[in-house]
Structures are given as C-alpha cells and as structure tokens.
Amino acid sequence: MTATKDPSGADRPLTIAQLAELAGVSTATVSKVVNGRSEVAPETRTLVERLIREHGYRRQKRRVSPAALVELVFHALEGDYPIEIIKGVEQAAREHHLAVVLSELQHRHTPGKGWIEGVLSRRPTGVIAVFSGLTDEQRDQLATRDIPLVLLDPTGDPGHLVPSVGAGNWSGGLSATRHLLRLGHRRIAIITGPDYALSSRARLDGYRTALDTTGVPVDPALIRRGDFLVEGGLAQARHLLRLPDPPTAIFACNDGQAVGVYQAAYELGLRIPDDLSVVGFDDLPPTRWAVPPLTTIRQPLTEMAVAAANMLVKLAQGEPLPQSRIELGTELVVRSSTAPL
C-alpha cells in the first residue's frame, strides 16, 4: 500500500487498519501494541513499533481520553531527594485534579520493557522522569500515543526535543568553593557524583572555575569520583583524609555524600569544622539537624518538581511551552560545618 497524503502533499500518519495491512497482522494485534498490551509476540511488537516510527500513527476521531494520572519515575526511591520531588509533583497535580503514580528503576537510568508497557496500558496524562532518561524507542512510543514527557534533573543533555527542568549546578559548585576560599582554605577537595550525571560535571566545573579565578592550582589528588550515596562519600573521604597532605575542606556534591564525610572525620578523630570544613549540595531537610548543621547549596527540588508538573499539564492540554528548558537558581546556605582556616 502507499501512504496517504494530506492537502499539502505530505505523508499522513497511518491508521490502525493501514498499519495492520503493512505488517501483515490483524487490526486487533496492532491495537494491542498501540495500547501497551503484553500478549503480542516480541518480533511482531518490534515490527509494528518500527512501522509506527516510520509512518506515524493516526488516531481515530473518537480519541480515548488519558487517565487523570501523572507517571513519576525515579532511578531509585532512597533518602530525602525523592520525597522533596514527590511533594512538588503532588502539589501541582492536586491543583489539576490529577493523581500521581510512582515507578522505581532499581538504580537503572533507563526503564525496561515492562515499564513502558505498563505506562502505555495506563495511558497517563504524562510522564516525568527524574534523574533518569528514556531510550529513543521509548520516547517514540510515548510520542505516538500523545503522552507528553518531561525530564527533571536529567542525567545527560536533553537537548531541545524533550522539555526539562534543572538547577544551576555550575553556579552552585562555584558558590560552594568560593565560600571555602573566602574562609582561607586552599587544600579544597571535591567528591563528585558519577561521570554520567551532567549535574555532577557542572558542579565540578564550578569548583574548577572558583579555584582558577583565585589562582589556586587544581590538584588532581583532591578530586574524587563519588556516586551520590552516603557509602561513596565515606569511602572517598577516608581516602582524602589519609593523604600525606590532606585537605582542610571538602565539597561533597550532594548532601548524602557529606554525611559520609562526617562519618570519615569521626572515625579519624577530626572535628568539624575545627579540623575540617564541609559543604554539601541539595539542602535536604535533615542537614539542618546534623551535628554540626551542614553548610550546603540549596537546590530547590520541590519548586523544580512543581515546574516540571506544570510543564507537563500544558503539554497535555496542547499548549505551547514558552521555553523547553527551565533552570532554577541555587543558593549557598551557611551553617556551622565551615569555619576559617
């Protein structure tokens, strides 16, 4: 069969019947693929999905309304970070009479096949992916079903094709390091996040810039790659504090790793901030109750989540977004974990 044309001469997306004819399967089979049903052979599903990507899919005029759900997917549901985001998404969703469905990827950063099938069958109003991303195929599957996607705190560069919300990570890294420099510290270490995280790279770049503009050489021995986990902060801080010339200050690129630094200092009999100054990143609620309370960079996670949810609702309603990328500012919060050298 040949593709149909619209009045401008461009190829029109195909209907279920036309896709079925191209694939050599029944319309019921194509309908099951479109609706995320599982009872389709993998090779048949792959064929139909490829045809949808190549030709597009034209819904019938009587469109099925989406469920009043926001699909919120995390790479992991651990600590206070997801709680702050859930609060923001729930706040915005409630205003639009939407419920929130949570998914966890067990520390993976792209969902598996079962997840996308579940989303397609639930037909949510939209999907917010937090510190994770979707494969190109999964994005296409959502797009062909008119399910909008927004990335929140994306791990990589989302470009302009997928709307996203993030924070001023570079400026946060700059502020944290400048604060320590103003206190007289020169041996300033950093525990980054994983290399694949764009936020971690930006915070490291801010750290480098602060040192460079002050004329302080960057010592590679003081840069340790972490994983945004307490255990990683502990392991890297142990290494740093046992160096022949240890740092007098450590910038941990998230609050969880800062907790690990506290533990390492305790093990070695070091007092914070008398012997070691520590700065975190996030300003999660427990940091103000640490002993001593943690100086950190506030990342407005709840506000970021509200912004992402509002973007999603606009997309679901067919409204254009004024911008595809929103970046909210970060702020230095000085408490008691930093002191003059």
Side-chain angles (χ1 to χ4, degrees):
M1 67 171 291
T2 58
T4 57
K5 305 281 185 179
D6 64 19
S8 69
D11 288 345
R12 298 178 64 186
L14 303 183
T15 64
I16 282 182
Q18 291 169 323
L19 288 166
E21 183 179 346
L22 272 180
V25 299
S26 68
T27 56
T29 297
V30 175
S31 179
K32 288 176 182 177
V33 174
V34 167
N35 291 294
R37 302 272 294 278
S38 59
E39 58 269 26
V40 179
E43 60 273 14
T44 302
R45 180 182 300 279
T46 300
L47 170 61
V48 174
E49 290 286 2
R50 179 176 61 78
L51 292 173
I52 291 174
R53 288 196 303 274
E54 291 175 357
H55 300 282
Y57 162 54
R58 175 158 45 101
R59 295 180 181 276
Q60 302 302 311
K61 290 185 178 179
R62 191 180 68 179
R63 181 180 172 184
V64 177
S65 297
L69 301 173
V70 173
E71 190 89 23
L72 182 58
V73 56
F74 291 91
H75 81 293
L77 282 169
E78 294 179 357
D80 292 276
Y81 172 95
I83 298 299
E84 296 303 301
I85 289 173
I86 292 168
K87 283 163 54 178
V89 172
E90 172 65 25
Q91 175 185 325
R94 188 167 54 248
E95 293 176 1
H96 296 283
H97 308 289
L98 299 172
V100 179
V101 176
L102 298 181
S103 300
E104 187 198 32
L105 304 181
Q106 289 82 44
H107 292 279
R108 299 193 310 273
H109 287 275
T110 54
K113 175 183 173 184
W115 176 84
I116 191 67
E117 290 179 353
V119 171
L120 297 181
S121 65
R122 285 189 288 275
R123 288 188 173 276
T125 296
V127 175
I128 299 175
V130 184
F131 201 65
S132 57
L134 275 62
T135 65
D136 290 341
E137 181 181 358
Q138 289 167 342
R139 292 181 186 182
D140 289 340
Q141 288 174 295
L142 294 181
T144 55
R145 278 75 167 186
D146 295 327
I147 301 174
L149 167 68
V150 175
L151 302 181
L152 177 52
D153 196 10
T155 53
D157 182 7
H160 296 289
L161 296 178
V162 181
S164 63
V165 179
N169 291 294
W170 180 85
S171 60
L174 183 75
S175 296
T177 312
R178 279 182 171 172
H179 170 66
L180 293 169
L181 288 166
R182 291 190 186 107
L183 292 173
H185 295 277
R186 293 299 180 265
R187 294 285 294 168
I188 302 172
I190 183 171
I191 303 175
T192 72
D195 284 343
Y196 61 75
L198 189 65
S199 58
S200 172
R201 290 175 177 267
R203 293 168 198 178
L204 175 59
D205 287 344
Y207 160 88
R208 291 180 184 274
T209 300
L211 294 178
D212 183 59
T213 55
T214 311
V216 177
V218 175
D219 184 350
L222 297 182
I223 299 175
R224 300 295 298 177
R225 186 177 69 183
D227 53 11
F228 284 156
L229 300 176
V230 174
E231 295 83 359
L234 172 60
Q236 299 305 333
R238 283 171 174 164
H239 175 90
L240 288 165
L241 296 175
R242 290 187 174 116
L243 289 173
D245 187 9
T248 61
I250 296 179
F251 168 33
C253 281
N254 79 336
D255 288 345
Q257 292 184 143
V259 172
V261 175
Y262 271 46
Q263 176 63 25
Y266 172 78
E267 291 175 357
L268 294 173
L270 300 176
R271 297 166 299 166
I272 298 172
D274 300 25
D275 304 314
L276 178 71
S277 285
V278 182
V279 178
F281 200 112
D282 283 333
D283 193 28
L284 297 173
T287 59
R288 70 196 66 174
W289 304 112
V291 181
L294 178 67
T295 294
T296 188
I297 299 295
R298 181 177 183 270
Q299 180 175 209
L301 293 172
T302 300
E303 293 92 331
M304 289 161 60
V306 169
N310 287 333
M311 289 174 79
L312 193 75
V313 171
K314 282 183 178 292
L315 290 169
Q317 293 173 343
E319 299 180 26
L321 296 176
Q323 58 195 100
S324 62
R325 166 74 176 176
I326 294 177
E327 184 172 291
L328 300 185
T330 52
E331 177 186 3
L332 175 67
V333 179
V334 179
R335 297 196 179 99
S336 304
S337 65
T338 51
L341 182 63

